[in-house]
Amino acid sequence: MEEDLNQIVNSCNYNGEEEQGDPESNTLNQPLVKANRTLSSTPLALVGTKVSHIESLDYEINENDLFKHDWRKRSKTQVLQYIFLKWTFACLIGLFTGLIATLINLAVENIAGYKLLAVGHFLAQERYVTGLMIFAGGNLGLTLVASVLCVCFAPTAAGPGIPEIKAYLNGIDTPNMFGATTMIVKIIGSIGAVAAGLDLGKEGPLVHIGTCIASLLGQGGPDNHRLKWRWLRYFNNDRDRRDLITCGSAAGVCAAFRSPVGGVLFALEEVATWWRSALLWRTFFSTAVVVVVLREFIEICNSGKCGLFGRGGLIMFDVSHVTYTYHVTDIIPVTLIGVIGGVLGSLYNHFLHKVLRLYNLINQKGKIHKVLLALTVSLFTSVCLYGLPFLAKCTPCDPSIEERCPTNGRSGNFKQFHCPKGYYSDLATLLLTTNDDAVRNIFSSNTPNEFSMGSLWIFFVLYCILGLFTFGIATPSGLFLPIILMGSAYGRMLGGMMGSYTSIDQGLYAVLGAASLMAGSMRMTVSLCVIFLELTNNLLLLPITMIVLLIAKTVGDSFNPSIYDIILHLKGLPFLEANPEPWMRNLSVGELGDAKPPVVTLQGVEKVAKIVDVLKNTTHNAFPVLDEGEVPPQVGLGTGAIELHGLILRAHLVKVLKKRWFLTEKRRTEEWEVREKFPWDELAEREDNFDDVAITSSEMQMYVDLHPLTNTTPYTVMENMSVAKALVLFRQVGLRHLLIVPRIQAIGRSPVIGILTRQDLRAYNILQAFPHLEKSKGRKAH
């Protein structure tokens, strides 16, 4: 996808010259290789299913004169207001996420429940064709609603949303990702897609919904109807919004699995790039509120006030009442589950990558093709779920089992389907039910003979196929549940093969299989371990769960990246990885800067005509501000030295022009003049639309004093710093721009020789400008 986007934007291909020696054998004080072309970047990426223009976020504190003045005059009351609002928002994020999660669970269980009851009515009358028509027709209708909403109203609501959230917290602005329309479509679409029986989960969408709630709270509501409350001005910046969205992602995972600690660790391990202890406390508070809300609704629903909900949708596998024992000999099957999970997880990632590329070609043909693709997958799923149980043998009910057998209702562990009285179909028990009930059934303990090996094989193969071809259609979808279903199937099969060799229950094998496949595909360990621990509510499972997760992740990492990293790459989102490439240590930022066009600078007091020209003819988002002849004599550089005053953002230049803050003469302004024109919180707003600004010819000859609006403390690096070190600094601090300064400050030489952005530090873009590094990289890999 990234290469395709670059070909579309740049419309060019590069043919590298023959390599002249090994570039990595050069010393650091010599130029590594001559750049063959300038660094290029693609400002386009897929957000949901929509191609969007991508910009970076301003996580850095802009320390201009206005900010410094506001910081000095803040009273203790204002500081307390700010802290109080942070905790209030954390509470509200948890409250609303818990309520919406309960709503989704109630809707899914009731819609799917009544659909299955209708199908069961026709099955009891042996009207199998009518049952199929009702089943497939209901699923098609639900899928149609979910797909049309995503395609026509909120394309960013399609998919899980977690890769885009990771990108946002990494510093990438993902347009329309956290809006009110996106959230509403995500809620309704998730209900429709999951109730339709598609091999999708609501876990990923719940994470996205949690972040939408956080973003809407922080900005005071939807874009067109924002609250103008004075206290909200504290959160009118990317930095505080990042913290809120981190809380929202943790609350979403907690709502999906009823796992508060697991939600916090998921945010820390998987989605957050930047973290601190204060944020840890607020995310934990948000997840605690979610658990309280869910717990209250569990009590209400247990009393039968939730229709067909019962206990479904909130507790997948509770084994707190079961005592498990395992011995040293059980390490062998546990290790085997971990290895299988790592191999199958990497295979799943590989084939899903191919399928998503194919779906991208189909989706490019238009909205109708997106909807037809979703309906085709829904029809195929319905036919398989309804038709495959006819292939399974009927099993006589065990009279010693306390649970009712057989049943044809909404749920139950022994579905009768087409079997005679006193018999049940084990495959129908797994297929003709909701996804949550399927997980609950296959996780069931003390049922060693409930599912035959043939039915488990059919179930496993079917969900491998559905897991590959369902993810990627234009509906809200999560990856957690499909992977859990696949993993639990092979885990239970392995438990059956072990027989009397092991003392571990087959239900526990199913849990370990699900955990191993999730670790093998998503490459999470600590958060997954805690999530499964909180799901099972049994500390005895902790040691073997840890072993399985570590083995599965290690095996999977040896083949390919995690599934979310693959999706980030496919979408073309410029995500910065934590670890730089080894060859980046042999390339300096000065050489990287030489491969870019010359840096565009502005004077401290600049002419309006120059500012207009720069804004019209460049797409840069920041410009160094220089002052000539203003260096104090005591510095010892002599006359003619140039001072780097700082960095000014494009949005601030546009705001200056829109407010027409012009001077008739070239002079520095007083502090009160700028404070009178620009409230400090107003500068945090993104306003880079220059098209509607009309400047007269007389105004073109006026001047603007840029000093009060300039960030006087931008991050800088010496030109001899390695790219690897600069990348680590850029990512960990959350920068948008990084200035390159010369080692020697000479008279007449510019104090800044380049600016690095996110796109400049990406390995793919660097290799386009320095193709010899690609050859060296490939040779070292062998």
Side-chain angles (χ1 to χ4, degrees):
M1 173 59 67
E2 186 170 335
E3 292 86 347
D4 297 339
L5 285 170
N6 278 323
Q7 288 173 2
I8 293 171
V9 176
N10 297 322
S11 300
C12 64
N13 291 313
Y14 171 75
N15 295 318
E17 298 177 358
E18 292 299 317
E19 182 179 7
Q20 302 295 328
D22 183 2
E24 292 203 1
S25 65
N26 294 345
T27 59
L28 280 176
N29 58 1
Q30 296 175 338
L32 186 65
V33 288
K34 184 179 180 181
N36 207 298
R37 67 183 229 186
T38 59
L39 279 168
S40 63
S41 60
T42 304
L44 298 177
L46 280 174
V47 180
T49 58
K50 182 181 180 181
V51 177
S52 303
H53 185 83
I54 296 299
E55 293 288 352
S56 293
L57 296 166
D58 291 307
Y59 288 155
E60 179 188 357
I61 295 177
N62 195 328
E63 292 187 337
N64 53 33
D65 292 348
L66 286 173
F67 172 82
K68 294 175 182 177
H69 178 268
D70 173 74
W71 190 259
R72 288 193 299 265
K73 74 171 188 176
R74 280 192 184 183
S75 63
K76 289 185 178 180
T77 303
Q78 289 177 315
V79 173
L80 288 175
Q81 286 177 353
Y82 177 58
I83 297 173
F84 175 74
L85 265 186
K86 281 186 174 183
W87 286 94
T88 302
F89 281 156
C91 177
L92 292 176
I93 290 168
L95 176 63
F96 290 134
T97 304
L99 291 174
I100 291 176
T102 305
L103 169 67
I104 292 174
N105 280 309
L106 284 171
V108 168
E109 293 287 324
N110 280 281
I111 293 173
Y114 282 112
K115 177 189 67 179
L116 293 172
L117 284 176
V119 172
H121 173 72
F122 291 106
L123 287 174
Q125 300 177 5
E126 298 186 358
R127 297 169 61 183
Y128 301 122
V129 176
T130 306
L132 174 61
M133 293 175 63
I134 295 295
F135 187 67
N139 290 344
L140 281 173
L142 292 168
T143 305
L144 180 65
V145 171
S147 181
V148 169
L149 285 175
C150 284
V151 170
C152 299
F153 297 98
T156 53
I162 293 178
E164 287 87 350
I165 295 168
K166 282 189 66 172
Y168 185 92
L169 297 178
N170 192 252
I172 305 165
D173 188 18
T174 47
N176 305 316
M177 193 65 193
F178 306 110
T181 304
T182 300
M183 184 181 72
I184 294 170
V185 170
K186 199 83 175 186
I187 294 170
I188 300 174
S190 297
I191 294 171
V194 177
L198 294 172
D199 187 21
L200 302 170
K202 53 184 178 290
E203 296 77 20
L206 275 173
V207 176
H208 189 185
I209 291 167
T211 57
C212 288
I213 293 170
S215 179
L216 290 171
L217 285 173
Q219 69 184 22
D223 291 335
N224 299 328
H225 305 283
R226 291 189 183 184
L227 295 176
K228 300 299 182 181
W229 194 26
R230 182 171 174 80
W231 283 19
L232 288 174
R233 72 188 189 276
Y234 295 126
F235 296 88
N236 192 20
N237 61 81
D238 295 332
R239 194 173 54 261
D240 285 309
R241 199 171 294 126
R242 170 186 61 185
D243 292 355
L244 292 175
I245 286 176
T246 304
C247 289
S249 65
V253 172
C254 176
F257 293 106
R258 205 163 58 93
S259 172
V261 181
V264 175
L265 292 175
F266 173 84
L268 171 61
E269 182 179 9
E270 183 62 24
V271 297
T273 298
W274 185 85
W275 196 266
R276 69 180 190 276
S277 58
L279 183 58
L280 175 68
W281 282 106
R282 287 200 299 277
T283 54
F284 187 62
F285 180 52
S286 293
T287 57
V289 174
V290 173
V291 170
V292 171
V293 173
L294 294 180
R295 186 69 237 176
E296 184 61 32
F297 276 98
I298 288 174
E299 296 296 331
I300 294 173
C301 291
N302 283 340
S303 62
K305 298 179 181 179
C306 300
L308 298 177
F309 184 69
R311 66 185 183 90
L314 289 177
I315 305 175
M316 281 189 179
F317 185 49
D318 188 352
V319 295
S320 56
H321 61 285
V322 181
T323 302
Y324 285 116
T325 58
Y326 43 87
H327 309 286
V328 177
T329 54
D330 292 322
I331 293 296
I332 297 175
V334 167
T335 303
L336 185 59
I337 286 180
V339 173
I340 294 174
V343 173
L344 290 181
S346 59
L347 281 174
Y348 177 75
N349 292 358
H350 173 76
F351 287 114
L352 186 60
H353 181 206
K354 305 299 181 185
V355 171
L356 290 177
R357 280 186 174 276
L358 173 64
Y359 279 7
N360 182 59
L361 296 176
I362 297 173
N363 291 336
Q364 286 177 359
K365 295 182 179 181
K367 296 181 178 179
I368 297 296
H369 289 81
K370 293 180 182 180
V371 176
L372 289 177
L373 177 61
L375 294 179
T376 302
V377 172
S378 176
L379 182 61
F380 175 75
T381 302
S382 300
V383 171
C384 290
L385 296 181
Y386 190 89
L388 287 177
F390 285 100
L391 303 178
K393 294 181 180 179
C394 293
T395 306
C397 293
D398 186 351
S400 63
I401 296 178
E402 296 181 1
E403 190 172 347
R404 182 183 172 188
C405 178
T407 64
N408 250 336
R410 174 187 64 89
S411 61
N413 226 29
F414 303 95
K415 288 288 187 73
Q416 183 176 354
F417 195 58
H418 69 297
C419 297
K421 189 175 182 180
Y423 289 77
Y424 73 94
S425 171
D426 58 349
L427 192 54
T429 301
L430 295 175
L431 298 182
L432 211 64
T433 184
T434 63
N435 287 339
D436 283 354
D437 276 334
V439 173
R440 202 171 290 111
N441 291 339
I442 203 169
F443 278 3
S444 60
S445 55
N446 299 323
T447 54
N449 301 315
E450 180 182 354
F451 304 106
S452 66
M453 193 62 65
S455 296
L456 288 174
W457 270 109
I458 294 174
F459 179 83
F460 174 66
V461 173
L462 172 64
Y463 272 91
C464 284
I465 296 171
L466 294 179
L468 288 173
F469 288 98
T470 306
F471 187 81
I473 62 175
T475 61
S477 56
L479 275 171
F480 284 90
L481 201 63
I483 293 176
I484 288 175
L485 288 169
M486 286 185 285
S488 59
Y490 78 72
R492 194 166 186 108
M493 283 192 291
L494 184 60
M497 294 175 185
M498 289 295 147
S500 59
Y501 174 78
T502 178
S503 59
I504 299 178
D505 186 87
Q506 288 187 20
L508 177 55
Y509 269 108
V511 175
L512 295 178
S516 69
L517 190 59
M518 289 185 74
S521 176
M522 298 180 176
R523 311 293 157 78
M524 296 185 292
T525 52
V526 179
S527 57
L528 271 184
C529 184
V530 174
I531 287 173
F532 274 92
L533 187 66
E534 291 179 298
L535 274 179
T536 58
N537 202 18
N538 196 328
L539 276 172
L540 293 175
L541 306 182
L542 180 60
I544 54 176
T545 304
M546 292 172 63
I547 294 172
V548 164
L549 292 173
L550 289 171
I551 294 174
K553 181 188 181 333
T554 303
V555 173
D557 281 339
S558 62
F559 291 102
N560 51 31
S562 74
I563 186 62
Y564 289 131
D565 289 341
I566 290 174
I567 295 173
L568 280 168
H569 175 75
L570 278 173
K571 288 177 174 289
L573 292 166
F575 187 85
L576 292 181
E577 299 292 344
N579 300 313
E581 298 287 343
W583 49 263
M584 288 183 176
R585 298 208 173 275
N586 288 349
L587 185 68
S588 70
V589 294
E591 293 169 321
L592 205 57
D594 291 339
K596 298 186 63 177
V599 61
V600 178
T601 62
L602 296 172
Q603 296 296 316
V605 181
E606 188 60 86
K607 217 171 189 180
V608 174
K610 174 68 180 297
I611 296 175
V612 172
D613 179 66
V614 165
L615 292 177
K616 281 185 176 180
N617 297 316
T618 68
T619 58
H620 307 321
N621 284 294
F623 305 91
V625 176
L626 308 180
D627 280 322
E628 296 185 19
E630 294 193 17
V631 178
Q634 58 267 27
V635 174
L637 292 177
T639 58
I642 303 174
E643 175 196 356
L644 171 61
H645 185 74
L647 194 70
I648 190 166
L649 298 177
R650 182 187 190 91
H652 293 173
L653 292 176
V654 173
K655 192 169 288 292
V656 164
L657 297 181
K658 285 188 174 182
K659 284 183 171 285
R660 283 173 163 70
W661 191 55
F662 303 147
L663 305 171
T664 56
E665 58 183 1
K666 190 174 183 179
R667 67 175 178 87
R668 298 279 293 262
T669 55
E670 299 295 332
E671 190 175 307
W672 63 268
E673 292 181 85
V674 65
R675 292 205 311 270
E676 190 177 72
K677 197 74 173 180
F678 296 97
W680 69 269
D681 54 324
E682 192 177 292
L683 290 179
E685 298 178 2
R686 290 187 167 228
E687 192 169 355
D688 52 6
N689 184 13
F690 179 65
D691 298 334
D692 56 348
V693 180
I695 306 295
T696 64
S697 57
S698 59
E699 289 173 332
M700 287 286 192
Q701 305 307 314
M702 294 184 179
Y703 296 90
V704 176
D705 181 14
L706 301 180
H707 293 97
L709 306 179
T710 301
N711 178 12
T712 56
T713 58
Y715 282 87
T716 61
V717 292
M718 302 290 289
E719 61 179 326
N720 59 334
M721 179 184 283
S722 70
V723 173
K725 195 172 181 179
L727 173 60
V728 172
L729 171 67
F730 194 98
R731 186 182 188 274
Q732 290 185 348
V733 181
L735 301 180
R736 188 178 185 183
H737 305 97
L738 187 60
L739 299 183
I740 307 173
V741 297
R743 284 187 298 174
I744 302 174
Q745 181 62 266
I747 296 176
R749 186 183 181 188
S750 175
V752 56
I753 58 179
I755 299 181
L756 294 181
T757 64
R758 169 180 302 275
Q759 296 282 5
D760 302 327
L761 293 170
R762 299 187 66 215
Y764 176 81
N765 291 334
I766 296 174
L767 292 174
Q768 299 303 301
F770 299 91
H772 291 69
L773 292 173
E774 176 70 33
K775 298 179 181 180
S776 173
K777 172 187 170 187
R779 187 168 56 251
K780 291 214 169 200
H782 294 294

